[in-house]
Amino acid sequence: MRYKVSSQDLSHLRLGETDTVEAILRNVAVILATPQGSVPLYRDFGLPWDFVDKPIPIARTMMVAPIREALERWEPRAAFAAIDFQLDPARPGRLIPVVEVEIDVGKV
């Protein structure tokens, strides 16, 4: 089954989630919201921020591969399917990646 996730989904974050699919979606949202280097003992966790301060078309292109690689590494139960971007109306110039992942419910 396919699900869409963004870093904005952390507003309903629940720790100790018992539903496996919800836990996977939470993990994907955390990966999208975490700058690489900000987690002690897991400095590679999250996304590199090389795309910050780049023009939006360039930033979009620069974000796709690192997002896919981070999901494959840190949450392999969610298969990357697609990515889209939204602009944050409250903060001009801020891109919000919206990732579509596929989770095989029969395997989790």
Side-chain angles (χ1 to χ4, degrees):
M1 184 164 223
R2 288 190 176 201
Y3 302 89
K4 289 191 177 187
V5 184
S6 80
S7 59
Q8 305 299 93
D9 294 336
L10 291 176
S11 60
H12 64 280
L13 176 71
R14 286 180 29 183
L15 299 176
E17 182 65 61
T18 56
D19 180 358
T20 304
V21 172
E22 287 297 320
I24 293 169
L25 297 176
R26 181 204 59 223
N27 292 347
V28 170
V30 169
I31 291 166
L32 294 173
T34 304
Q36 211 170 50
S38 65
V39 180
L41 303 178
Y42 288 101
R43 296 294 182 189
D44 290 338
F45 183 83
L47 301 176
W49 281 45
D50 301 337
F51 49 82
V52 174
D53 294 331
K54 301 285 190 230
I56 289 177
I58 293 171
R60 283 182 183 170
T61 303
M62 291 178 70
M63 291 173 80
V64 175
I67 288 172
R68 183 179 194 141
E69 291 167 2
L71 292 180
E72 288 172 355
R73 179 172 182 192
W74 298 106
E75 188 48 89
R77 299 174 293 178
F80 180 90
I83 189 167
D84 194 17
F85 294 94
Q86 297 175 348
L87 293 174
D88 186 346
R91 295 166 61 183
R94 181 173 182 235
L95 280 176
I96 302 169
V98 179
V99 176
E100 188 172 345
V101 295
E102 189 163 339
I103 300 173
D104 186 351
V105 180
K107 291 186 178 180
V108 292

XYZ file of all heavy atoms in Angstrom:
854
model
N 0.840 -1.168 0.000
C 0.000 0.000 0.000
C 0.895 1.244 0.000
O 1.948 1.250 0.613
C -0.901 -0.032 1.224
C -1.893 1.076 1.289
S -3.157 0.675 2.493
C -4.552 1.184 1.566
N 0.448 2.290 -0.684
C 1.238 3.524 -0.773
C 0.724 4.586 0.192
O -0.480 4.718 0.397
C 1.210 4.061 -2.194
C 2.041 3.216 -3.127
C 2.189 3.883 -4.449
N 3.083 3.064 -5.270
C 3.727 3.516 -6.303
N 3.594 4.769 -6.674
N 4.517 2.730 -6.999
N 1.681 5.348 0.741
C 1.373 6.410 1.692
C 2.205 7.634 1.337
O 3.329 7.508 0.868
C 1.730 5.979 3.122
C 1.033 4.734 3.583
C 1.601 3.487 3.358
C -0.175 4.808 4.252
C 0.959 2.326 3.788
C -0.811 3.653 4.689
C -0.235 2.418 4.451
O -0.860 1.280 4.878
N 1.662 8.832 1.601
C 2.410 10.075 1.416
C 2.819 10.598 2.786
O 2.017 10.614 3.723
C 1.576 11.108 0.675
C 1.391 10.749 -0.773
C 0.796 11.893 -1.550
C 0.713 11.484 -3.017
N 0.301 12.606 -3.839
N 4.077 11.029 2.873
C 4.636 11.482 4.144
C 5.453 12.737 3.902
O 6.164 12.840 2.906
C 5.560 10.407 4.765
C 6.053 10.841 6.126
C 4.878 9.070 4.841
N 5.383 13.683 4.833
C 6.255 14.863 4.793
C 6.752 15.138 6.201
O 6.255 14.564 7.176
C 5.514 16.082 4.237
O 4.712 16.673 5.224
N 7.701 16.027 6.308
C 8.215 16.390 7.630
C 7.145 17.108 8.454
O 7.225 17.137 9.673
C 9.451 17.274 7.502
O 9.130 18.445 6.774
N 6.127 17.647 7.798
C 5.034 18.317 8.490
C 4.181 17.323 9.276
O 3.423 17.723 10.148
C 4.148 19.052 7.485
C 4.881 20.030 6.588
C 5.551 21.141 7.348
O 6.722 21.049 7.694
N 4.817 22.169 7.626
N 4.290 16.042 8.977
C 3.500 15.018 9.650
C 3.953 14.771 11.087
O 3.346 13.970 11.790
C 3.533 13.706 8.869
C 2.853 13.826 7.518
O 1.993 14.721 7.364
O 3.184 13.049 6.615
N 4.994 15.426 11.520
C 5.475 15.240 12.888
C 4.563 15.889 13.913
O 4.719 15.668 15.106
C 6.903 15.788 13.035
C 7.971 14.992 12.305
C 9.319 15.676 12.451
C 8.042 13.580 12.829
N 3.586 16.674 13.460
C 2.685 17.337 14.398
C 1.849 16.330 15.192
O 1.405 16.624 16.285
C 1.774 18.316 13.660
O 0.994 17.621 12.697
N 1.631 15.153 14.634
C 0.888 14.125 15.370
C 1.793 12.947 15.752
O 1.373 11.802 15.774
C -0.329 13.654 14.571
C -0.003 12.981 13.285
N 0.312 13.653 12.148
C 0.058 11.667 12.965
C 0.549 12.802 11.168
N 0.410 11.589 11.638
N 3.035 13.269 16.078
C 4.028 12.270 16.455
C 3.630 11.574 17.753
O 3.275 12.220 18.730
C 5.394 12.945 16.650
C 6.535 12.078 17.147
C 6.946 11.123 16.045
C 7.697 12.930 17.559
N 3.654 10.250 17.717
C 3.391 9.450 18.909
C 4.544 8.487 19.098
O 4.830 7.668 18.226
C 2.093 8.657 18.747
C 0.859 9.505 18.858
C -0.417 8.733 18.695
N -0.317 7.340 19.131
C -1.292 6.474 19.022
N -2.428 6.842 18.519
N -1.132 5.222 19.411
N 5.204 8.591 20.212
C 6.281 7.659 20.524
C 5.676 6.372 21.079
O 4.607 6.377 21.664
C 7.249 8.281 21.524
C 7.946 9.556 21.040
C 8.800 10.127 22.149
C 8.774 9.287 19.811
N 6.360 5.274 20.881
C 5.863 3.996 21.368
C 4.668 3.507 20.569
O 3.806 2.818 21.102
N 4.624 3.865 19.302
C 3.523 3.463 18.418
C 3.458 1.942 18.323
O 4.472 1.293 18.114
C 3.738 4.070 17.037
C 2.655 3.789 16.042
C 1.324 4.405 16.412
O 1.258 5.632 16.516
O 0.363 3.643 16.607
N 2.276 1.384 18.487
C 2.120 -0.071 18.409
C 1.727 -0.533 17.008
O 1.940 -1.692 16.667
C 1.069 -0.567 19.421
O -0.158 0.120 19.179
C 1.529 -0.318 20.847
N 1.163 0.352 16.203
C 0.817 0.024 14.816
C 2.091 0.147 13.977
O 2.684 1.222 13.881
C -0.260 0.981 14.316
C -0.683 0.703 12.889
O -0.119 -0.208 12.246
O -1.575 1.412 12.405
N 2.514 -0.951 13.373
C 3.779 -0.983 12.635
C 3.792 0.000 11.475
O 4.779 0.702 11.273
C 4.066 -2.412 12.125
O 4.053 -3.292 13.242
C 5.402 -2.486 11.430
N 2.718 0.083 10.726
C 2.669 1.009 9.589
C 2.803 2.449 10.067
O 3.556 3.240 9.500
C 1.383 0.804 8.752
C 1.239 1.890 7.698
C 1.388 -0.571 8.103
N 2.098 2.806 11.129
C 2.199 4.166 11.672
C 3.613 4.451 12.173
O 4.124 5.557 12.021
C 1.184 4.378 12.804
C -0.237 4.496 12.321
C -0.467 5.705 11.410
O 0.075 6.782 11.682
O -1.197 5.546 10.412
N 4.263 3.462 12.762
C 5.647 3.633 13.230
C 6.584 3.864 12.050
O 7.479 4.713 12.119
C 6.088 2.419 14.036
N 6.383 3.140 10.959
C 7.214 3.327 9.762
C 7.006 4.721 9.192
O 7.973 5.424 8.861
C 6.899 2.245 8.714
C 7.340 0.868 9.213
C 7.561 2.569 7.379
C 6.837 -0.292 8.369
N 5.760 5.169 9.094
C 5.470 6.505 8.563
C 6.062 7.593 9.461
O 6.580 8.600 8.967
C 3.960 6.686 8.399
C 3.298 5.747 7.395
C 1.784 5.938 7.395
C 3.872 5.936 6.000
N 6.012 7.377 10.769
C 6.641 8.324 11.693
C 8.143 8.382 11.462
O 8.742 9.462 11.415
C 6.356 7.915 13.139
C 6.990 8.896 14.141
C 7.251 8.290 15.499
N 8.141 7.151 15.390
C 7.970 6.008 16.035
N 6.948 5.819 16.827
N 8.838 5.029 15.894
N 8.771 7.223 11.278
C 10.209 7.183 11.036
C 10.576 7.929 9.761
O 11.579 8.644 9.722
C 10.701 5.740 10.957
C 10.611 5.022 12.278
O 10.414 5.632 13.322
N 10.724 3.713 12.232
N 9.776 7.773 8.708
C 10.030 8.483 7.455
C 9.937 9.991 7.690
O 10.792 10.758 7.236
C 9.056 8.024 6.346
C 9.167 8.922 5.124
C 9.321 6.576 5.983
N 8.925 10.442 8.417
C 8.771 11.875 8.704
C 9.956 12.403 9.510
O 10.444 13.511 9.257
C 7.462 12.131 9.443
N 10.432 11.619 10.463
C 11.594 12.039 11.268
C 12.835 12.152 10.386
O 13.605 13.117 10.503
C 11.827 11.062 12.449
C 13.167 11.312 13.115
C 10.698 11.181 13.458
N 13.039 11.219 9.479
C 14.187 11.276 8.565
C 14.121 12.556 7.738
O 15.115 13.263 7.579
C 14.231 10.032 7.657
C 14.578 8.794 8.474
C 15.235 10.216 6.516
C 14.313 7.477 7.750
N 12.939 12.878 7.218
C 12.778 14.075 6.381
C 13.007 15.371 7.160
O 13.406 16.374 6.577
C 11.378 14.094 5.758
C 11.065 12.990 4.761
C 9.592 13.043 4.358
C 11.967 13.099 3.538
N 12.754 15.342 8.456
C 12.869 16.561 9.265
C 14.218 16.727 9.947
O 14.482 17.773 10.536
C 11.765 16.556 10.331
N 15.091 15.730 9.860
C 16.342 15.755 10.622
C 17.531 16.157 9.758
O 17.843 15.486 8.782
C 16.612 14.369 11.240
O 15.484 13.982 12.030
C 17.853 14.388 12.106
N 18.215 17.242 10.137
C 19.458 17.592 9.426
C 20.572 16.618 9.790
O 20.746 16.275 10.959
C 19.804 18.992 9.944
C 18.638 19.453 10.728
C 17.837 18.251 11.117
N 21.280 16.170 8.786
C 22.404 15.256 9.018
C 23.412 15.936 9.939
O 23.696 17.117 9.807
C 23.064 14.918 7.686
C 23.654 13.547 7.643
C 24.074 13.182 6.246
O 24.768 13.952 5.609
N 23.657 12.025 5.775
N 23.929 15.191 10.891
C 24.909 15.721 11.832
C 24.303 16.216 13.135
O 25.021 16.587 14.056
N 22.970 16.203 13.239
C 22.329 16.758 14.434
C 21.989 15.716 15.496
O 21.558 16.068 16.587
C 21.053 17.516 14.038
O 20.091 16.630 13.502
N 22.190 14.433 15.191
C 21.860 13.375 16.148
C 23.158 12.792 16.691
O 23.909 12.157 15.952
C 21.011 12.270 15.476
C 20.679 11.170 16.484
C 19.746 12.852 14.883
N 23.432 13.006 17.988
C 24.650 12.447 18.569
C 24.691 10.924 18.399
O 23.680 10.255 18.520
C 24.552 12.832 20.051
C 23.636 14.006 20.069
C 22.663 13.780 18.954
N 25.862 10.408 18.111
C 26.136 8.995 17.896
C 25.572 8.453 16.585
O 25.848 7.325 16.231
C 25.661 8.138 19.076
C 26.238 8.521 20.434
C 25.656 7.641 21.518
C 27.749 8.454 20.434
N 24.746 9.229 15.893
C 24.232 8.855 14.568
C 24.370 10.063 13.642
O 23.390 10.560 13.098
C 22.760 8.419 14.642
C 22.569 7.088 15.290
C 22.148 6.994 16.609
C 22.813 5.906 14.588
C 21.974 5.768 17.220
C 22.650 4.679 15.196
C 22.229 4.616 16.503
O 22.064 3.390 17.108
N 25.571 10.536 13.462
C 25.813 11.756 12.687
C 25.401 11.633 11.225
O 25.157 12.628 10.569
C 27.284 12.175 12.786
C 27.719 12.547 14.182
C 27.025 13.785 14.659
N 27.496 14.142 15.988
C 26.950 15.073 16.725
N 25.929 15.744 16.291
N 27.422 15.329 17.917
N 25.296 10.397 10.707
C 24.875 10.212 9.317
C 23.357 10.169 9.162
O 22.858 10.159 8.047
C 25.455 8.910 8.755
C 26.948 8.989 8.560
O 27.479 10.106 8.455
O 27.588 7.926 8.515
N 22.633 10.138 10.276
C 21.175 10.057 10.215
C 20.591 11.361 9.688
O 21.052 12.445 10.000
C 20.606 9.774 11.609
C 19.113 9.615 11.615
C 18.535 8.400 11.279
C 18.288 10.674 11.942
C 17.162 8.247 11.274
C 16.920 10.529 11.942
C 16.347 9.316 11.609
N 19.550 11.250 8.875
C 18.857 12.431 8.367
C 19.324 12.803 6.971
O 19.879 11.989 6.244
N 19.095 14.061 6.621
C 19.407 14.550 5.280
C 20.522 15.581 5.307
O 20.546 16.443 6.185
C 18.167 15.198 4.664
C 16.941 14.308 4.516
C 15.777 15.126 3.990
C 17.231 13.140 3.619
N 21.422 15.526 4.333
C 22.420 16.591 4.217
C 21.710 17.881 3.820
O 20.646 17.846 3.209
C 23.349 16.096 3.104
C 22.521 15.173 2.298
C 21.542 14.546 3.255
N 22.273 18.973 4.157
C 21.626 20.260 3.868
C 22.395 21.042 2.811
O 22.458 22.259 2.835
C 21.467 21.048 5.160
C 20.293 20.550 5.950
C 19.964 19.255 6.203
C 19.275 21.325 6.541
N 18.807 19.175 6.931
C 18.366 20.445 7.162
C 19.051 22.687 6.644
C 17.240 20.882 7.843
C 17.923 23.110 7.337
C 17.036 22.212 7.925
N 22.965 20.349 1.856
C 23.701 21.004 0.778
C 22.795 21.870 -0.088
O 23.262 22.765 -0.777
C 24.374 19.961 -0.121
C 25.344 19.083 0.644
O 25.823 19.508 1.707
O 25.602 17.958 0.175
N 21.510 21.602 -0.068
C 20.558 22.304 -0.922
C 20.066 23.618 -0.328
O 19.380 24.385 -1.002
C 19.363 21.401 -1.222
C 18.777 20.748 0.003
C 17.892 21.412 0.815
C 19.142 19.457 0.334
C 17.367 20.811 1.944
C 18.621 18.835 1.459
C 17.726 19.521 2.270
N 20.387 23.889 0.929
C 19.952 25.127 1.573
C 20.566 26.328 0.851
O 21.734 26.307 0.473
C 20.325 25.126 3.071
C 20.023 26.459 3.732
C 19.601 24.008 3.788
N 19.772 27.355 0.659
C 20.169 28.605 0.006
C 20.421 28.455 -1.491
O 21.043 29.321 -2.097
C 21.394 29.239 0.683
C 21.092 29.694 2.102
O 19.920 30.032 2.381
O 22.010 29.717 2.928
N 19.967 27.376 -2.072
C 20.050 27.204 -3.523
C 18.724 27.653 -4.130
O 17.687 27.630 -3.468
C 20.290 25.732 -3.884
C 21.542 25.139 -3.301
C 22.760 25.623 -4.033
C 23.971 24.833 -3.584
N 25.084 25.612 -3.205
N 18.731 28.049 -5.410
C 17.458 28.358 -6.069
C 16.545 27.127 -6.035
O 17.011 25.981 -6.086
C 17.868 28.694 -7.501
C 19.306 29.101 -7.394
C 19.880 28.294 -6.265
N 15.250 27.348 -5.944
C 14.288 26.258 -5.768
C 14.433 25.156 -6.814
O 14.465 23.980 -6.444
C 12.849 26.805 -5.684
C 12.694 27.525 -4.348
C 11.821 25.703 -5.825
C 11.364 28.187 -4.125
N 14.558 25.452 -8.110
C 14.695 24.344 -9.066
C 15.946 23.494 -8.824
O 15.918 22.269 -8.967
C 14.766 25.035 -10.425
C 14.154 26.368 -10.220
C 14.437 26.729 -8.792
N 17.021 24.123 -8.417
C 18.260 23.389 -8.130
C 18.121 22.598 -6.834
O 18.529 21.439 -6.751
C 19.460 24.353 -8.074
C 19.694 24.937 -9.474
C 20.707 23.659 -7.548
C 20.693 26.055 -9.523
N 17.517 23.198 -5.824
C 17.326 22.520 -4.540
C 16.465 21.267 -4.713
O 16.771 20.223 -4.137
C 16.691 23.465 -3.529
N 15.408 21.367 -5.513
C 14.558 20.187 -5.754
C 15.376 19.032 -6.315
O 15.273 17.901 -5.861
C 13.451 20.531 -6.748
C 12.342 21.299 -6.164
C 11.277 21.542 -7.208
N 10.231 22.354 -6.620
C 9.260 22.904 -7.296
N 9.184 22.727 -8.605
N 8.353 23.619 -6.691
N 16.173 19.343 -7.313
C 16.994 18.305 -7.940
C 17.996 17.724 -6.956
O 18.211 16.512 -6.918
C 17.729 18.897 -9.162
O 16.759 19.440 -10.054
C 18.538 17.851 -9.874
N 18.592 18.590 -6.135
C 19.606 18.134 -5.178
C 19.023 17.294 -4.039
O 19.744 16.523 -3.412
C 20.340 19.339 -4.581
C 21.222 20.068 -5.556
S 21.997 21.517 -4.804
C 23.152 20.743 -3.683
N 17.734 17.435 -3.768
C 17.125 16.747 -2.634
C 16.697 15.308 -2.937
O 16.642 14.480 -2.021
C 15.896 17.528 -2.142
C 16.236 18.847 -1.489
S 14.765 19.817 -1.121
C 14.218 19.026 0.371
N 16.401 15.001 -4.177
C 15.790 13.710 -4.501
C 16.687 12.528 -4.115
O 16.258 11.624 -3.392
C 15.401 13.645 -5.994
C 14.892 12.262 -6.356
C 14.360 14.709 -6.318
N 17.915 12.500 -4.593
C 18.801 11.354 -4.328
C 19.106 11.189 -2.831
O 19.016 10.066 -2.315
C 20.082 11.466 -5.131
N 19.447 12.264 -2.092
C 19.704 12.068 -0.661
C 18.486 11.570 0.118
O 18.634 10.778 1.050
C 20.126 13.457 -0.180
C 20.624 14.151 -1.387
C 19.815 13.622 -2.519
N 17.294 12.008 -0.283
C 16.088 11.523 0.399
C 15.904 10.033 0.140
O 15.668 9.252 1.062
C 14.848 12.333 -0.040
C 14.911 13.739 0.570
C 13.558 11.621 0.358
C 13.849 14.689 0.071
N 16.049 9.649 -1.105
C 15.895 8.223 -1.453
C 16.936 7.373 -0.712
O 16.617 6.324 -0.146
C 16.040 8.057 -2.958
C 15.816 6.648 -3.400
C 15.932 6.506 -4.901
N 15.391 5.229 -5.275
C 14.672 4.989 -6.330
N 14.415 5.953 -7.165
N 14.222 3.782 -6.574
N 18.185 7.824 -0.706
C 19.247 7.071 -0.034
C 19.023 6.987 1.469
O 19.258 5.939 2.082
C 20.600 7.704 -0.344
C 21.009 7.535 -1.796
C 22.184 8.415 -2.201
O 22.726 9.153 -1.330
O 22.559 8.386 -3.377
N 18.574 8.084 2.082
C 18.325 8.074 3.528
C 17.201 7.113 3.886
O 17.296 6.385 4.877
C 18.003 9.489 4.012
N 16.157 7.092 3.075
C 15.055 6.160 3.352
C 15.504 4.713 3.190
O 15.146 3.859 4.006
C 13.870 6.452 2.434
C 13.145 7.768 2.687
C 11.999 7.938 1.707
C 12.654 7.873 4.116
N 16.288 4.449 2.158
C 16.779 3.085 1.954
C 17.665 2.640 3.111
O 17.634 1.489 3.525
C 17.545 2.987 0.639
C 16.652 3.043 -0.581
C 17.422 3.139 -1.884
O 18.673 3.250 -1.855
O 16.776 3.118 -2.948
N 18.440 3.566 3.646
C 19.367 3.210 4.729
C 18.666 3.113 6.085
O 18.889 2.171 6.840
C 20.486 4.244 4.807
C 21.446 3.934 5.926
C 22.644 4.820 5.917
N 23.545 4.434 7.003
C 24.553 5.155 7.397
N 24.838 6.286 6.781
N 25.314 4.749 8.394
N 17.865 4.118 6.420
C 17.345 4.227 7.781
C 15.950 3.640 7.980
O 15.558 3.369 9.118
C 17.372 5.679 8.236
C 18.750 6.228 8.270
C 19.319 7.116 7.396
C 19.790 5.896 9.198
N 20.623 7.353 7.731
C 20.942 6.625 8.843
C 19.849 5.059 10.310
C 22.137 6.543 9.541
C 21.042 4.981 11.015
C 22.163 5.717 10.631
N 15.189 3.458 6.898
C 13.865 2.839 7.027
C 13.595 1.968 5.811
O 12.800 2.305 4.940
C 12.780 3.904 7.197
C 11.401 3.355 7.527
C 11.376 2.324 8.629
O 11.238 2.684 9.809
O 11.489 1.119 8.308
N 14.283 0.824 5.734
C 14.160 -0.051 4.561
C 12.788 -0.698 4.405
O 12.480 -1.241 3.351
C 15.258 -1.099 4.784
C 15.500 -1.096 6.247
C 15.229 0.307 6.716
N 11.950 -0.655 5.438
C 10.607 -1.230 5.317
C 9.694 -0.376 4.438
O 8.651 -0.830 3.992
C 9.973 -1.394 6.702
C 10.762 -2.313 7.607
C 10.202 -2.333 9.007
N 10.383 -1.032 9.644
C 9.967 -0.718 10.860
N 9.312 -1.623 11.589
N 10.179 0.465 11.379
N 10.101 0.878 4.177
C 9.327 1.785 3.326
C 10.083 1.965 2.012
O 11.163 2.546 1.985
C 9.154 3.135 4.024
N 9.530 1.476 0.941
C 10.163 1.586 -0.379
C 9.803 2.920 -1.022
O 8.624 3.258 -1.152
C 9.716 0.433 -1.269
N 10.818 3.672 -1.409
C 10.626 4.961 -2.074
C 9.870 4.740 -3.376
O 10.256 3.913 -4.195
C 11.997 5.593 -2.349
C 11.947 6.920 -3.026
C 11.898 8.077 -2.286
C 11.960 7.010 -4.408
C 11.864 9.315 -2.915
C 11.928 8.230 -5.043
C 11.875 9.387 -4.297
N 8.776 5.488 -3.586
C 7.991 5.353 -4.812
C 8.013 6.635 -5.638
O 8.145 6.586 -6.855
C 6.549 4.972 -4.483
N 7.888 7.789 -4.981
C 7.846 9.062 -5.706
C 8.103 10.203 -4.730
O 8.080 10.014 -3.511
C 6.494 9.247 -6.379
N 8.348 11.378 -5.290
C 8.540 12.561 -4.466
C 7.917 13.758 -5.170
O 7.927 13.849 -6.393
C 10.037 12.807 -4.160
C 10.212 13.901 -3.123
C 10.800 13.124 -5.425
C 11.604 14.004 -2.542
N 7.354 14.629 -4.376
C 6.801 15.887 -4.859
C 7.226 16.951 -3.850
O 7.674 16.622 -2.748
C 5.279 15.796 -4.958
C 4.669 16.936 -5.751
O 5.412 17.619 -6.495
O 3.454 17.154 -5.642
N 7.082 18.195 -4.207
C 7.488 19.269 -3.314
C 6.358 20.276 -3.170
O 5.648 20.566 -4.131
C 8.738 19.972 -3.846
C 9.949 19.095 -3.858
C 10.292 18.390 -4.996
C 10.728 18.948 -2.736
C 11.394 17.572 -5.021
C 11.840 18.124 -2.737
C 12.169 17.431 -3.888
N 6.207 20.796 -1.957
C 5.272 21.870 -1.684
C 6.067 23.070 -1.212
O 7.133 22.913 -0.602
C 4.280 21.473 -0.597
C 3.396 20.323 -0.942
C 2.510 19.909 0.220
O 2.710 20.343 1.358
N 1.534 19.065 -0.044
N 5.549 24.252 -1.476
C 6.152 25.470 -0.942
C 5.424 25.824 0.345
O 4.211 25.672 0.437
C 6.047 26.613 -1.940
C 6.878 26.439 -3.206
C 6.570 27.564 -4.184
C 8.360 26.447 -2.873
N 6.173 26.266 1.336
C 5.596 26.662 2.614
C 5.108 28.096 2.482
O 5.925 29.014 2.357
C 6.652 26.539 3.711
C 6.097 26.792 5.097
O 4.967 27.321 5.211
O 6.790 26.464 6.063
N 3.792 28.340 2.500
C 3.294 29.707 2.326
C 3.697 30.635 3.467
O 3.818 31.841 3.277
C 1.776 29.540 2.249
C 1.482 28.206 2.813
C 2.721 27.373 2.671
N 3.937 30.082 4.641
C 4.326 30.903 5.791
C 5.795 31.298 5.747
O 6.194 32.273 6.373
C 4.032 30.156 7.087
N 6.595 30.521 5.002
C 8.032 30.791 4.922
C 8.459 30.707 3.456
O 8.841 29.641 2.982
C 8.795 29.792 5.778
C 8.462 29.978 7.259
C 8.891 28.860 8.137
N 10.315 28.603 8.153
C 10.860 27.619 8.818
N 10.120 26.811 9.516
N 12.158 27.431 8.786
N 8.390 31.820 2.743
C 8.734 31.808 1.311
C 10.139 31.256 1.067
O 11.077 31.528 1.809
C 8.656 33.280 0.912
C 7.753 33.901 1.931
C 7.990 33.132 3.205
N 10.251 30.425 0.017
C 11.532 29.839 -0.326
C 11.799 28.512 0.357
O 12.800 27.867 0.079
N 10.920 28.079 1.237
C 11.106 26.803 1.941
C 10.369 25.696 1.202
O 9.162 25.776 0.972
C 10.591 26.884 3.365
C 10.786 25.585 4.106
C 10.438 25.718 5.571
N 10.694 24.460 6.230
C 9.786 23.804 6.928
N 8.582 24.295 7.080
N 10.092 22.658 7.500
N 11.102 24.666 0.828
C 10.528 23.505 0.160
C 10.190 22.430 1.181
O 10.975 22.165 2.094
C 11.529 22.906 -0.823
C 11.685 23.574 -2.159
C 12.792 22.889 -2.950
C 10.401 23.554 -2.942
N 9.056 21.814 0.999
C 8.656 20.698 1.859
C 8.557 19.463 0.978
O 7.671 19.369 0.124
C 7.302 20.976 2.527
C 7.371 22.257 3.347
C 6.878 19.789 3.382
C 6.029 22.754 3.820
N 9.484 18.516 1.133
C 9.376 17.293 0.334
C 8.222 16.427 0.842
O 8.044 16.247 2.044
C 10.719 16.602 0.549
C 11.251 17.166 1.810
C 10.667 18.535 1.979
N 7.436 15.932 -0.091
C 6.349 15.002 0.217
C 6.706 13.705 -0.502
O 6.722 13.644 -1.724
C 4.986 15.535 -0.260
C 3.889 14.533 0.060
C 4.691 16.890 0.363
N 7.020 12.701 0.281
C 7.509 11.436 -0.260
C 6.374 10.418 -0.266
O 5.626 10.300 0.707
C 8.686 10.910 0.590
C 9.146 9.558 0.103
C 9.826 11.902 0.584
N 6.271 9.699 -1.358
C 5.328 8.596 -1.433
C 6.128 7.313 -1.250
O 7.107 7.083 -1.966
C 4.611 8.586 -2.775
C 3.483 7.581 -2.842
C 2.666 7.711 -4.111
O 2.773 8.723 -4.812
O 1.920 6.756 -4.390
N 5.730 6.539 -0.259
C 6.420 5.286 0.034
C 5.435 4.138 -0.076
O 4.226 4.306 0.107
C 7.074 5.289 1.433
C 8.177 6.303 1.527
C 6.050 5.502 2.525
N 5.988 2.980 -0.378
C 5.164 1.778 -0.442
C 5.578 0.869 0.701
O 6.768 0.612 0.906
C 5.350 1.075 -1.784
C 4.363 -0.039 -1.996
C 4.277 -0.452 -3.446
O 4.645 0.323 -4.341
O 3.831 -1.594 -3.669
N 4.583 0.401 1.438
C 4.829 -0.497 2.555
C 4.050 -1.780 2.292
O 2.832 -1.753 2.098
C 4.370 0.130 3.888
C 5.138 1.425 4.145
C 4.561 -0.862 5.042
C 4.646 2.212 5.339
N 4.772 -2.879 2.257
C 4.139 -4.177 2.070
C 3.632 -4.648 3.423
O 4.397 -5.161 4.233
C 5.143 -5.174 1.461
C 4.502 -6.496 1.097
O 3.325 -6.731 1.463
O 5.177 -7.295 0.432
N 2.349 -4.435 3.650
C 1.754 -4.729 4.961
C 1.903 -6.199 5.328
O 2.028 -6.541 6.497
C 0.264 -4.296 4.968
C -0.372 -4.582 6.310
C 0.142 -2.825 4.625
N 1.950 -7.064 4.341
C 2.095 -8.486 4.618
C 3.467 -8.863 5.145
O 3.644 -9.908 5.751
N 4.468 -8.001 4.927
C 5.836 -8.300 5.362
C 6.220 -7.604 6.652
O 7.269 -7.900 7.209
C 6.829 -7.894 4.274
C 6.747 -8.768 3.045
C 7.830 -8.412 2.067
C 7.804 -9.292 0.845
N 8.859 -8.946 -0.092
N 5.428 -6.640 7.131
C 5.806 -5.927 8.346
C 5.068 -6.426 9.536
O 4.095 -7.050 9.512
C 5.604 -4.391 8.218
C 6.590 -3.846 7.230
C 4.186 -4.035 7.878
